[in-house]
Amino acid sequence: LNMARTQVLPAALAYSKEVQSLPGLGGRVGALVGELDQKIERLDQSLSQVRVLASEEERAKRLSGEVAQQMLELRTVADALEERIGDDYWPLPKYREILFLQ
């Protein structure tokens, strides 16, 4: 959540502003940025709800179910943005860099 909020979202917003006038790419990046923002807020709300649960068992169930699913959904959007955002904007190592470049 922290990485998405403090690194991925700002990079995506900056890149989105840069390419907003380009047909196709600008619209798709903009839509993904909006989706990422929604996923971040949804995950943040779910984590807040989990933190106040008294039962460790209920927390574990929610974290391994609902929260894990939301994390996967957020990651899917971030991965889609990683494929589209220019290297100069992306603040993290890209998968191709981790796997193939040394």
Side-chain angles (χ1 to χ4, degrees):
L1 181 60
N2 187 43
M3 286 175 61
R5 183 175 279 137
T6 63
Q7 295 183 305
V8 176
L9 184 58
L13 285 168
Y15 189 73
S16 178
K17 288 178 185 174
E18 188 73 26
V19 299
Q20 67 186 355
S21 64
L22 299 175
L25 179 62
R28 182 64 183 140
V29 170
L32 286 169
V33 169
E35 190 176 348
L36 180 71
D37 189 46
Q38 290 174 350
K39 301 288 184 195
I40 288 170
E41 291 308 313
R42 184 173 172 219
L43 178 57
D44 190 33
Q45 289 173 0
S46 291
L47 286 171
S48 294
Q49 292 170 357
V50 168
R51 285 185 191 105
V52 299
L53 293 173
S55 165
E56 292 290 330
E57 182 179 349
E58 185 59 31
R59 270 190 253 160
K61 286 180 184 177
R62 295 274 298 273
L63 288 169
S64 64
E66 173 187 334
V67 172
Q69 179 61 37
Q70 290 174 2
M71 290 173 69
L72 178 60
E73 292 171 9
L74 191 151
R75 162 110 188 253
T76 300
V77 177
D79 287 349
L81 282 163
E82 177 185 348
E83 292 174 0
R84 289 167 176 83
I85 291 179
D87 291 349
D88 292 344
Y89 288 86
W90 195 253
L92 304 166
K94 292 191 173 189
Y95 287 126
R96 67 177 160 74
E97 295 169 342
I98 294 170
L99 295 175
F100 302 110
L101 301 178
Q102 296 185 14

